[in-house]
């Protein structure tokens, strides 16, 4: 005849072990979810509160004054490293199917890494460089996106006539100023930095340079502004 007390004792041990095992499994699953969430945040998928990047700052899946150098390299591939604001912080690409060269650089850091705060696109022949630089840039890697991605506001690119550029800017209702050789567009926004106490990116500008009424260079830049100038504590 089976020992009832022993059977009950074994059953209790079995249930206790099952409960402990289940609790450990749930704890491990919760830990995995927490780590996954932390991983998503660490990759900077969620912009900082109040971040606002103006329309004029975007080109080829990159936002000047917000995207990090790593973001840019993931979108375009590795460029040719050049001396920049920091040692080797500048990069150069060729735009496939065009004579255009793209230059980027960054000086300030955010939680996302080194921020790309300047970008220029110019026809190679319009860039004043030494013979050694010209030879080096001739072998710069091609950016992954095609030429259309580097057309600013989907309409403006090197070689365009000044009248057409002004027409496009007017159609987009953008405010701009003009001189003999340039058209300058500015807009405001907000993008935080961590390497400059009391300052953040708040002003964006795009300078369009012309020669004989033909666009030869487009220069995009994000500029810092001290928070106390606006009475804002960020």
């Amino acid at each position: 005849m089976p020992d009832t007390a022993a059977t009950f004792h074994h059953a209790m041990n079995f249930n206790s072990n099952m409960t402990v095992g289940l609790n450990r499994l749930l704890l491990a699953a919760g830990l995995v979810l927490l780590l996954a969430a932390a991983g998503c945040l660490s990759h900077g998928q969620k912009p900082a509160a109040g971040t606002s990047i103006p329309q004029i700052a975007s080109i080829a899946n990159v936002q000047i004054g917000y995207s990090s150098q790593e973001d840019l390299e993931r979108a375009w591939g590795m460029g040719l490293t050049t001396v920049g604001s920091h040692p080797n912080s500048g990069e150069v690409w060729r735009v496939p199917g065009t004579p255009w060269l793209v230059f980027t650089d960054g000086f300030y850091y955010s939680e996302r890494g080194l921020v790309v705060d300047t970008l220029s696109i110019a026809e190679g022949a319009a860039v004043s460089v030494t013979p050694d630089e010209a030879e080096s840039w001739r072998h710069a890697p091609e950016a992954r996106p095609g030429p259309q991605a580097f057309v600013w506001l989907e309409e403006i690119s090197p070689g365009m006539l000044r009248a057409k550029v002004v027409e496009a800017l007017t159609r987009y209702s953008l405010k701009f100023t003009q001189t003999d050789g340039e058209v300058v567009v500015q807009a405001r926004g907000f993008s935080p930095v961590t390497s400059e106490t009391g300052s953040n990116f708040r002003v964006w500008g795009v300078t369009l340079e012309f020669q004989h009424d033909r666009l030869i260079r487009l220069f995009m830049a994000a500029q810092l502004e001290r928070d106390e100038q606006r009475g804002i504590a960020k």
Side-chain angles (χ1 to χ4, degrees):
M1 181 174 181
D3 186 337
T4 303
T7 301
F8 178 76
H9 179 71
H10 286 309
M12 289 295 291
N13 282 342
F14 176 78
N15 288 336
S16 177
N17 290 339
M18 285 289 291
T19 301
V20 170
L22 181 59
N23 287 339
R24 287 176 177 172
L25 181 61
L26 291 173
L27 180 62
L31 182 60
V32 168
L33 290 174
L34 285 173
L35 289 173
C40 288
L41 292 176
S42 69
H43 281 81
Q45 296 301 314
K46 185 178 180 182
T51 299
S52 175
I53 311 300
Q55 178 188 23
I56 67 170
S58 298
I59 195 164
N61 298 318
V62 168
Q63 292 179 303
I64 305 305
Y66 177 74
S67 298
S68 69
Q69 193 172 54
E70 290 75 17
D71 292 334
L72 188 150
E73 289 169 352
R74 280 193 291 268
W76 297 1
M78 293 295 295
L80 174 68
T81 301
T82 66
V83 175
S85 301
H86 290 294
N88 299 325
S89 63
E91 291 193 71
V92 182
W93 290 261
R94 290 179 296 112
V95 178
T98 75
W100 306 344
L101 287 172
V102 181
F103 305 79
T104 66
D105 197 9
F107 183 76
Y108 301 101
Y109 288 83
S110 73
E111 292 179 352
R112 300 167 58 80
L114 180 64
V115 180
V116 177
D117 57 27
T118 62
L119 175 147
S120 70
I121 302 177
E123 294 184 343
V127 180
S128 298
V129 295
T130 66
D132 286 345
E133 286 175 323
E135 179 61 22
S136 175
W137 293 350
R138 202 165 61 83
H139 298 288
E142 287 190 344
R144 285 182 190 141
Q148 187 58 38
F150 290 93
V151 176
W152 184 55
L153 300 178
E154 300 183 350
E155 291 192 46
I156 299 172
S157 60
M160 194 169 178
L161 293 176
R162 181 171 182 145
K164 293 293 185 182
V165 170
V166 170
E167 181 183 312
L169 295 177
T170 303
R171 191 163 50 252
Y172 276 91
S173 300
L174 293 171
K175 294 181 180 179
F176 57 90
T177 58
Q178 299 192 60
T179 63
D180 287 344
E182 295 180 345
V183 173
V184 178
V185 185
Q186 283 197 332
R188 299 194 65 85
F190 172 73
S191 184
V193 299
T194 57
S195 60
E196 188 73 10
T197 304
S199 296
N200 293 291
F201 290 120
R202 293 185 182 278
V203 181
W204 278 258
V206 178
T207 301
L208 304 156
E209 298 179 10
F210 295 87
Q211 194 171 78
H212 306 301
D213 281 339
R214 186 170 163 274
L215 180 61
I216 61 169
R217 183 172 180 259
L218 180 150
F219 178 75
M220 308 170 69
Q223 303 168 22
L224 292 186
E225 185 176 273
R226 294 198 66 80
D227 294 334
E228 55 262 32
Q229 291 177 350
R230 295 175 54 81
I232 295 174
K234 284 286 184 183

